[in-house]
Amino acid sequence: MENMIDLHLHLDGSLTAEEIFILAKQQHLTLPSQSIDELASMLSVSSNCQDLNEYLQTFELPLLVLQTKEALTFAFSHLLARLKNQGLSYVEIRFAPQLHTRQKLSQYDVVESAVYALHQSLLQYQGEIHAQLILCCMRGENNLKQNLETVEVAKAFLGQGVCALDLAGAEGLYKTALFKPIFERAAAEGIPYTIHAGEADGPESIWEAISMGASRIGHGVQSIKDEKLMDYLAEKQMPLELCFSSNLQTRAIASAKQFPLQTFLKRGILATINTDNMTVSRTTLKHEYNLLQQTFLLSPEQNHQLQLNAIKAAFLTSVEKDMLLKNSFCPPS
Ligand SMILES: [Zn+2]
């Protein structure tokens, strides 16, 4: 594959058991197990995972060890090294700064550490891989202040490693519409955003994200239930960040065959393939493409289309997209 691009990848859900083990040791933290295999099984979901809420419980261990600048730098550097070794040419890594402030760090400190690690890695890799950060606001109660702070931090680092905002968390419990004030602020500040919608909630959640000015939709798989919405997505070329394994595990789709990739592609919807959480789902981007290939017998043209869609959907300038298309991303200066 000429362009391996992941636009929907969470840092915490992609930290490996080995990395968590090292980080816990460095910080003298006690883990529930000293066995890497046992840790790995705690970090991934079982085949009888019931829903998104259960899936989200696997994030507790990575968050336990990601509360210092050194740990964040370590996590980003190691993740970028793995992604480069997997052959990715471009990736947008997302995380929620407010979940890393349990000790002494401010959201600003958290993002500063992430941006530092990102720049160090990109310099080291000399254009082999390019990457940017998406900052997640969180669904939840009484967290408007923290979410607005995330918007302010995104503004401070926009174009310097941070490319966009997101809204993540339990969509079924906290409706998209509740978070409108955050994205009104983001829009006023000129920060682009994607919103997780149509994963654990229905098409109305996607319509809400659209009305709130989202540039892309995280998952959006439930748009299959709404003809008008599919027409709209195709007409506006609004990208969907699809995540196949993750959707199967959270039961956003009932079975592999029901994943609507072929329908979306046939209707001209800008569908993209992403991992969501490599460790939680025990996957890689290549594995996702292989699974989809086996399930849907994608044609070479469809495979190529998916990669082109990812370039179109990326939070990059048209000049940068051209460079990605020609596989000639320059090392950062
Ligand atoms: Zn996600």
Side-chain angles (χ1 to χ4, degrees):
M1 274 168 62
E2 58 267 45
N3 259 305
M4 293 265 282
I5 295 171
D6 198 334
L7 302 176
H8 191 127
L9 168 70
H10 293 262
L11 168 76
D12 39 10
S14 299
L15 202 65
T16 65
E18 288 86 352
E19 288 161 358
I20 288 175
F21 188 80
I22 293 168
L23 285 170
K25 204 168 175 193
Q26 283 171 355
Q27 299 172 69
H28 310 292
L29 296 170
T30 310
L31 293 173
S33 168
Q34 291 299 303
S35 146
I36 297 285
D37 286 347
E38 274 179 33
L39 281 177
S41 65
M42 289 174 196
L43 293 166
S44 59
V45 285
S46 61
S47 53
N48 59 6
C49 173
Q50 291 305 304
D51 58 17
L52 179 62
N53 301 333
E54 185 180 335
Y55 182 94
L56 292 175
Q57 285 167 15
T58 55
F59 292 81
E60 199 35 50
L61 269 186
L63 289 175
L64 175 76
V65 299
L66 289 177
Q67 303 295 332
T68 69
K69 285 185 179 186
E70 296 75 18
L72 285 159
T73 306
F74 175 98
F76 276 99
S77 307
H78 280 74
L79 176 57
L80 280 159
R82 274 189 282 131
L83 293 166
K84 180 190 77 79
N85 292 335
Q86 289 169 14
L88 270 80
S89 49
Y90 176 66
V91 57
E92 290 172 1
I93 302 168
R94 61 186 74 195
F95 66 108
Q98 64 188 267
L99 299 181
H100 303 274
T101 57
R102 290 182 194 170
Q103 291 180 19
K104 286 180 184 153
L105 299 183
S106 66
Q107 290 198 41
Y108 187 93
D109 296 333
V110 170
V111 178
E112 191 179 44
S113 303
V115 165
Y116 171 78
L118 178 79
H119 285 153
Q120 290 295 313
S121 297
L122 296 186
L123 268 173
Q124 187 188 343
Y125 299 140
Q126 295 285 312
E128 266 187 82
I129 181 171
H130 188 62
Q132 298 194 94
L133 307 173
I134 295 177
L135 306 187
C136 302
C137 296
M138 291 304 296
R139 295 176 191 269
E141 277 163 45
N142 304 320
N143 62 353
L144 179 63
K145 188 169 164 277
Q146 289 91 326
N147 281 336
L148 289 177
E149 193 181 330
T150 307
V151 176
E152 290 315 309
V153 176
K155 170 120 175 111
F157 289 97
L158 191 65
Q160 297 170 54
V162 171
C163 62
L165 282 162
D166 176 29
L167 177 64
E171 186 190 7
L173 302 178
Y174 304 101
K175 300 281 176 191
T176 302
L178 295 170
F179 303 91
K180 205 168 188 169
I182 302 163
F183 294 98
E184 280 173 352
R185 178 77 65 88
E189 301 273 22
I191 308 165
Y193 40 95
T194 173
I195 291 180
H196 278 73
E199 179 190 14
D201 204 359
E204 65 284 359
S205 181
I206 302 169
W207 281 118
E208 196 59 53
I210 292 168
S211 81
M212 281 157 55
S215 306
R216 300 192 322 221
I217 302 296
H219 296 282
V221 69
Q222 305 302 345
S223 49
I224 190 67
K225 295 176 179 163
D226 185 332
E227 289 287 327
K228 269 196 185 144
L229 179 54
M230 285 193 283
D231 285 345
Y232 181 91
L233 295 171
E235 188 198 321
K236 301 288 181 191
Q237 289 291 281
M238 162 88 68
L240 296 185
E241 305 156 4
L242 299 177
C243 309
F244 180 53
S245 292
S246 167
N247 281 176
L248 271 173
Q249 289 159 347
T250 62
R251 314 218 171 195
I253 47 167
S255 70
K257 287 281 179 199
Q258 285 180 35
F259 190 63
L261 179 64
Q262 288 284 16
T263 307
F264 288 164
L265 285 175
K266 280 176 188 153
R267 294 181 79 126
I269 292 173
L270 216 62
T272 65
I273 302 305
N274 310 278
T275 53
D276 207 9
N277 295 285
M278 293 196 293
T279 302
V280 181
S281 295
R282 293 183 189 256
T283 194
T284 62
L285 188 62
K286 195 156 194 215
H287 184 61
E288 291 298 298
Y289 270 96
N290 286 342
L291 283 177
L292 290 167
Q293 180 62 45
Q294 287 160 18
T295 313
F296 298 109
L297 306 171
L298 298 174
S299 66
E301 291 76 21
Q302 285 178 315
N303 250 314
H304 185 65
Q305 187 64 50
L306 286 165
Q307 292 173 52
L308 277 184
N309 288 354
I311 295 179
K312 278 191 202 165
F315 285 121
L316 290 169
T317 64
S318 50
V319 173
E320 290 169 326
K321 288 180 187 182
D322 260 4
M323 287 197 287
L324 203 49
L325 203 54
K326 292 173 192 148
N327 241 326
S328 62
F329 227 108
C330 299
S333 51

